[in-house]
Amino acid sequence: MTETHSGTYEVAVVGGGAAGLSAALVLGRSRRRTLVVDAGGPRNAPAAHMQGYLTRDGMSPAEFLARGREEIARYGVELVRDRVVDVTGGFALTLAGGATVRARRLVIATGLKDELPAVPGVAERFGRDVLHCPYCHGWEVRDQAFGVLATTPLSVHQALMVSQWSKDVTLFLHTVAESELTDEDRRRLAAAGVAAVPGEVAGLVVEEDRLTGVRLADGTTHPREAVFVAPRAIPRTGLLEKLGAELRETPFGAYPVVDATGLTTVPGVWAVGNAAGFGEQVVNAASAGYRAGATVNGELLMADLDADARV
């Protein structure tokens, strides 16, 4: 993989996950001088496999990204392992390594960070038998005894969703009071056969490197084989904020206002993947990157043609 340290590019892509690499692939194939700045740390790194991506179902996230990096290199896209620490209008990117990179257009694909509940065992088992997305992992743990760790009233929705994959689901209310459950919540939980257990969760029970139960603060243990949890999403919007992009509040944090192509309220700046929203799966992120890459190329082409026409 070619690495760069400074220069001027037509497009700089910040973030080398599925969305960023997909945008870079389209731009490279469009003969645009493109740079990808990748700090590493993809959101799905804890998972051994990614699911639900047609023709890539079951592939490891690491292999997926490695192939993507190989593909963009075929078209002359450069990649630097670094982190963007500052950006100014124009666009000038300052990298942690000290280099300054300039680009005519920016694609921000910095994703988000998952903050897990501070329950012993959760972080250690995350991506294995502590899970967050039934579409990503539900099939692999189907028909097992599920636990759902409630951290907000929205956890009821997660418990109802995972009941599609198992009929043995227990919702551990943890930090959610029973009084916070609405009548509708109770009716739906009952209809789904989901038991709601009050009390704080003290930790997970692990035996021979396998999750076997959930232990409450009162000492009682409930046998479980998989636990679903909803991490708190922390959007990585620092660069977008520096550029003055408008953000919108959502139940999962503040994300940039974008149009159907990912264009933000800042001309020349696109946001894709989890940088633009919480619910983007790998396949969605790749699609968004493709759409943004094609749009950026067309926008640059028309801008150059209009400039030539004025000469």
Side-chain angles (χ1 to χ4, degrees), residues 154-238:
L154 293 175
S155 297
V156 171
H157 176 75
Q158 187 177 37
L160 295 172
M161 287 298 300
V162 302
S163 70
Q164 176 72 20
W165 284 265
S166 173
K167 296 308 176 186
D168 184 0
V169 180
T170 298
L171 174 63
F172 296 97
L173 294 179
H174 189 45
T175 58
V176 177
E178 287 186 89
S179 59
E180 295 182 72
L181 300 181
T182 66
D183 290 341
E184 182 178 65
D185 289 337
R186 296 175 190 278
R187 285 195 299 269
R188 285 178 170 173
L189 289 170
V194 176
V197 175
E200 184 179 351
V201 172
L204 304 182
V205 180
V206 178
E207 300 174 352
E208 298 181 352
D209 198 28
R210 183 171 61 89
L211 175 67
T212 61
V214 173
R215 187 178 67 258
L216 301 185
D218 64 9
T220 59
T221 297
H222 295 256
R224 296 289 93 184
E225 298 169 280
V227 169
F228 283 84
V229 60
R232 186 170 77 91
I234 303 177
R236 291 176 172 146
T237 55

Side-chain angles (χ1 to χ4, degrees), residues 33-249:
R33 187 166 188 239
T34 303
L35 173 71
V36 176
V37 183
D38 183 26
R43 183 187 181 195
N44 61 356
H49 307 281
M50 63 181 205
Q51 316 293 161
Y53 193 138
L54 192 64
T55 78
R56 297 295 180 266
D57 188 63
M59 177 181 283
S60 77
E63 181 184 356
F64 177 81
L65 294 179
R67 286 197 191 183
R69 290 189 288 267
E70 291 172 1
E71 289 176 359
I72 66 171
R74 296 175 196 164
Y75 301 101
V77 174
E78 298 178 42
L79 181 141
V80 60
R81 296 289 195 172
D82 211 330
R83 182 169 55 90
V84 178
V85 295
D86 198 12
V87 60
T88 61
F91 301 101
L93 306 177
T94 303
L95 307 188
T100 298
V101 173
R102 298 184 181 277
R104 295 175 61 191
R105 302 292 186 271
L106 292 181
V107 177
I108 305 296
T110 46
L112 59 82
K113 179 182 178 181
D114 287 317
E115 185 178 85
L116 295 166
V119 173
V122 167
E124 293 81 358
R125 308 298 301 181
F126 190 58
R128 302 169 66 186
D129 37 31
V130 174
L131 311 165
H132 75 290
C133 171
Y135 292 106
C136 303
H137 306 290
W139 175 265
E140 284 65 40
V141 295
R142 65 193 182 280
D143 299 325
Q144 294 183 19
F146 290 177
V148 177
L149 182 63
T151 52
T152 76
L154 293 175
S155 297
V156 171
H157 176 75
Q158 187 177 37
L160 295 172
M161 287 298 300
V162 302
S163 70
Q164 176 72 20
W165 284 265
S166 173
K167 296 308 176 186
D168 184 0
V169 180
T170 298
L171 174 63
F172 296 97
L173 294 179
H174 189 45
T175 58
V176 177
E178 287 186 89
S179 59
E180 295 182 72
L181 300 181
T182 66
D183 290 341
E184 182 178 65
D185 289 337
R186 296 175 190 278
R187 285 195 299 269
R188 285 178 170 173
L189 289 170
V194 176
V197 175
E200 184 179 351
V201 172
L204 304 182
V205 180
V206 178
E207 300 174 352
E208 298 181 352
D209 198 28
R210 183 171 61 89
L211 175 67
T212 61
V214 173
R215 187 178 67 258
L216 301 185
D218 64 9
T220 59
T221 297
H222 295 256
R224 296 289 93 184
E225 298 169 280
V227 169
F228 283 84
V229 60
R232 186 170 77 91
I234 303 177
R236 291 176 172 146
T237 55
L239 297 179
L240 292 165
E241 292 179 58
K242 285 179 181 289
L243 290 165
E246 181 183 348
L247 304 181
R248 72 186 191 287
E249 288 293 336

